[in-house]
């Protein structure tokens, strides 16, 4: 049988370097483009609306992280499980996983939207908003929450599209959304004078178009995986496994939200709204490099999942090593730019001298341990993709919650705003150490006792 380049069965035969390029490069372009949109969006808002608007978006960040958490709970869990089932040759089960993912995204998205809109102001004040920043955060999040189901479906279907053998198409659809959003942003913000509301409307508009393109693909029966009639029923075993595997990225985003809440409130107490805005700038810059590493992880996911399901552990290990090397290179570049050129980077977002000075200091300190962040992210993703959610969850929790939150409770009282910034690289170093221990143990088992490895 001749295999086309989009057939996932090639995941078990082609050289892993070629596969990683094929799957990771489109994901990197898509993920970094989405992050670049956030940066460009902040630049428009920073120069077109003002410093307090940037602070308002920083306040909204934890709520957006929670939205992403519930989206990844289903999207990443379903795509990982689909890759494993395809590796086992169980295509019919993959059809059921796809339809269950669609239904779960709709149900969870509607629930989150309803609760978020009802308690929006209370949530934003809890996240660190002040009377000066909450109007911007509220205007932005009302629109984003209204389109939450679209966001969940768009991100989840994109994950599955990539895992089922169409990484370039997944990239193209993501780039389409980003291009629409970037083009509409200046029109809505400056042309129509809608401010932060215009940015939110542009975001949902781009995602609507992208979701339509994804459904066109998955409704086409000529594709390897499609939405099959008669499969739209929730199956308990599938739901539990999807949610179990997706729990690691879910907790990662939940923890990110909790951490941002702690950071925002610590900065509000020690430095005020300007410091919160500075963190918003720093976070967007660092997220660009994190998203590139996440793109590498997304490229690794179908390769590792398929070969692990096929018990080709040597290919799994080669893919992992190559991905770690690439990820560390990316985060090292982030360290160089953030530590040695912070004023140049922060100056893209604002010309407010006070905000610029605080952001420059925060960026220089935050990236001190950034090179090893790439290793930690890849390690967490690896355990998730081989169906070991407990270890993935542990690694997701360590940096964001178990290490960083206690540091944020201690260091700001001792060192003020400097203590907030220093908490981040210290937590990065500790979490990378734990990731190294767990990953070394797992790889030793795969090399020495492959017959004892149980595939879910």
């Amino acid at each position: 049988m001749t295999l086309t380049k989009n057939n996932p069965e090639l995941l078990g035969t082609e050289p892993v370097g070629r596969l990683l390029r094929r799957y990771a490069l489109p994901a990197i372009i898509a993920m970094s483009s989405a992050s670049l949109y956030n940066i460009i969006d902040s630049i428009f808002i920073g120069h077109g609306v003002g410093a307090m608007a940037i602070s308002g978006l920083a306040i909204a960040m934890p709520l957006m992280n929670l939205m992403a958490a519930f989206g990844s709970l289903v999207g990443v869990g379903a795509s990982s499980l689909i890759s494993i089932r395809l590796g086992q040759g169980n295509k019919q089960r993959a059809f059921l996983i796809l339809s269950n993912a669609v239904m779960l995204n709709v149900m969870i998205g509607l629930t989150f939207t309803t609760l978020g809109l009802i308690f929006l102001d209370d949530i934003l004040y809890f996240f660190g908003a002040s009377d000066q920043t909450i109007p911007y955060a509220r205007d932005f999040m009302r629109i984003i929450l209204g389109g939450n189901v679209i966001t969940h479906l768009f991100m989840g279907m994109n994950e599955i599209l990539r895992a089922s053998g169409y990484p370039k198409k997944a990239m193209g659809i993501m780039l389409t959304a980003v291009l629409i959003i970037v083009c509409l942003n200046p029109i809505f913000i400056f042309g129509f004078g809608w401010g932060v509301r215009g940015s939110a409307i542009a975001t949902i508009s781009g995602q609507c178009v992208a979701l339509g393109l994804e459904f066109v693909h998955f409704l086409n029966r000529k594709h390897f995986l499609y939405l099959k009639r008669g499969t739209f029923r929730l199956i308990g075993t599938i739901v539990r496994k999807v949610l179990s595997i997706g729990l690691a990225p879910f907790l990662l985003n939940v923890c990110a939200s909790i951490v941002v809440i702690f950071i925002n409130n610590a900065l509000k107490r020690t430095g005020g709204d300007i410091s919160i805005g500075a963190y918003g700038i720093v976070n967007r810059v660092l997220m660009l490099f994190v998203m590139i590493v996440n793109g590498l992880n997304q490229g690794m996911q179908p390769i590792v999942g398929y070969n692990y399901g096929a018990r080709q552990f040597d290919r799994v290990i080669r893919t992992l090593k190559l991905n770690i090397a690439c990820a560390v290179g990316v985060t090292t570049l982030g360290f160089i730019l953030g530590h040695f050129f912070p004023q140049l980077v922060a100056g893209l977002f604002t010309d407010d001298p006070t905000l610029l000075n605080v952001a420059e200091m925060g960026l220089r300190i935050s990236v001190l341990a950034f090179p090893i962040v790439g290793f930690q992210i890849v390690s967490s993703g690896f355990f998730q993709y081989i169906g070991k959610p407990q270890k993935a969850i542990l690694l997701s929790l360590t940096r964001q919650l178990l290490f960083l939150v206690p540091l944020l409770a201690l260091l700001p009282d001792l060192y003020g705003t400097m203590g907030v910034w220093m908490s981040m690289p210290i937590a990065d170093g500790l979490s990378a150490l734990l990731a190294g221990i767990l990953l070394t143990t797992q790889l030793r088992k795969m090399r020495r006792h492959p017959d004892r490895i149980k595939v879910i």
Side-chain angles (χ1 to χ4, degrees):
M1 179 180 66
T2 302
L3 301 179
T4 65
K5 65 179 181 179
N6 289 326
N7 194 310
E9 293 177 18
L10 288 175
L11 294 168
T13 57
E14 279 200 5
V16 295
R18 186 185 304 169
L19 285 171
L20 195 58
R21 285 194 301 272
R22 179 185 302 166
Y23 279 83
L25 283 177
I28 290 169
I29 293 172
M31 297 297 288
S32 59
S33 297
S35 186
L36 280 171
Y37 145 67
N38 287 323
I39 290 175
I40 294 170
D41 178 42
S42 296
I43 291 172
F44 284 138
I45 290 175
H47 291 285
V49 185
M52 285 298 103
I54 290 183
S55 297
L57 291 184
I59 295 299
M61 195 182 305
L63 192 52
M64 296 183 70
N65 283 339
L66 284 174
M67 291 172 58
F70 282 98
S72 62
L73 177 66
V74 177
V76 175
S79 61
S80 298
L81 192 58
I82 283 173
S83 293
I84 292 174
R85 292 294 175 259
L86 292 176
Q88 295 171 331
N90 194 345
K91 186 179 178 181
Q92 293 304 313
R93 202 64 174 174
F95 283 123
L96 291 170
I97 297 168
L98 173 61
S99 59
N100 271 247
V102 171
M103 290 185 288
L104 284 171
N105 270 318
V106 172
M107 293 166 59
I108 294 173
L110 287 174
T111 302
F112 192 95
T113 295
T114 303
L115 295 175
L117 289 174
I118 291 173
F119 300 105
L120 182 57
D121 276 19
D122 293 333
I123 292 170
L124 293 175
Y125 275 118
F126 178 71
F127 287 174
S130 67
D131 291 339
Q132 287 71 42
T133 57
I134 196 169
Y136 301 105
R138 182 196 297 126
D139 286 349
F140 186 79
M141 286 310 305
R142 278 177 175 168
I143 296 169
I144 294 295
L145 282 169
N148 186 43
V149 172
I150 293 168
T151 302
H152 279 202
L153 284 170
F154 159 59
M155 298 303 294
M157 299 289 273
N158 202 263
E159 293 275 3
I160 295 172
L161 184 62
R162 184 179 300 106
S164 61
Y166 293 87
K168 289 186 178 179
K169 181 175 282 190
M171 174 195 70
I173 290 174
M174 181 70 77
L175 286 176
T176 299
V178 171
L179 182 62
I180 293 172
I181 293 167
V182 170
C183 289
L184 291 180
N185 251 293
I187 296 173
F188 291 168
I189 293 174
F190 297 106
F192 294 171
W194 290 349
V196 294
R197 292 191 301 273
S199 176
I201 294 171
T203 298
I204 300 302
S205 299
Q207 291 176 352
C208 276
V209 174
L211 179 60
L213 294 174
E214 289 169 351
F215 271 113
V216 167
H217 173 92
F218 282 112
L219 290 172
N220 189 339
R221 297 176 60 89
K222 294 180 180 179
H223 292 137
F224 190 83
L225 188 67
Y226 55 87
L227 290 166
K228 193 173 184 180
R229 186 176 299 176
T231 60
F232 282 86
R233 61 185 188 280
L234 288 177
I235 299 174
T237 55
I238 289 179
V239 170
R240 285 192 295 272
K241 286 182 178 178
V242 165
L243 298 182
S244 174
I245 295 175
L247 197 59
F250 170 78
L251 289 176
L252 180 62
N253 282 294
V254 169
C255 291
S257 298
I258 294 172
V259 166
V260 172
I261 294 168
F262 275 89
I263 291 174
N264 283 345
N265 281 283
L267 289 173
K268 182 180 178 181
R269 186 176 72 252
T270 59
D273 291 332
I274 285 292
S275 291
I276 294 177
Y279 174 66
I281 292 173
V282 170
N283 191 63
R284 275 169 170 74
V285 173
L286 298 187
M287 280 304 297
L288 172 62
F289 297 97
V290 170
M291 293 298 275
I292 294 173
V293 176
N294 285 340
L296 284 167
N297 263 5
Q298 288 185 354
M300 177 180 73
Q301 180 265 316
I303 307 170
V304 165
Y306 187 99
N307 285 283
Y308 191 79
R311 304 189 69 84
Q312 298 186 121
F313 299 133
D314 58 327
R315 292 174 59 82
V316 172
I317 295 172
R318 289 204 302 273
T319 304
L320 172 66
K321 287 182 175 180
L322 182 57
N323 214 48
I324 287 174
C326 294
V328 170
V330 169
T331 50
T332 299
L333 176 61
F335 163 76
I336 293 170
L337 290 175
H339 191 70
F340 294 105
F341 307 99
Q343 188 172 19
L344 178 64
V345 174
L348 295 173
F349 295 85
T350 182
D351 50 13
D352 184 290
T354 304
L355 179 58
L356 186 60
N357 287 336
V358 179
E360 179 185 349
M361 177 192 69
L363 188 57
R364 181 180 286 114
I365 296 171
S366 298
V367 298
L368 286 175
F370 204 57
I372 56 177
V373 169
F375 166 76
Q376 200 271 345
I377 295 173
V378 172
S379 300
S380 179
F382 175 74
F383 284 112
Q384 172 189 317
Y385 302 149
I386 65 173
K388 297 198 176 292
Q390 296 88 351
K391 292 181 180 179
I393 290 167
L394 177 61
L395 291 180
S396 298
L397 287 175
T398 50
R399 180 192 182 273
Q400 300 285 1
L401 197 62
L402 300 181
F403 293 144
L404 189 50
V405 168
L407 289 168
L408 287 169
L410 176 65
L411 295 185
D413 290 335
L414 298 175
Y415 304 106
T417 304
M418 182 69 69
V420 180
W421 299 118
M422 282 302 302
S423 300
M424 302 175 199
I426 294 173
D428 288 337
L430 293 173
S431 60
L433 178 61
L434 178 60
I437 294 171
L438 292 179
L439 190 61
T440 300
T441 302
Q442 179 65 34
L443 294 182
R444 186 180 295 118
K445 290 179 182 178
M446 294 174 67
R447 289 192 184 100
R448 297 181 180 178
H449 308 288
D451 55 312
R452 299 180 186 176
I453 299 293
K454 183 180 179 181
V455 180
I456 63 171

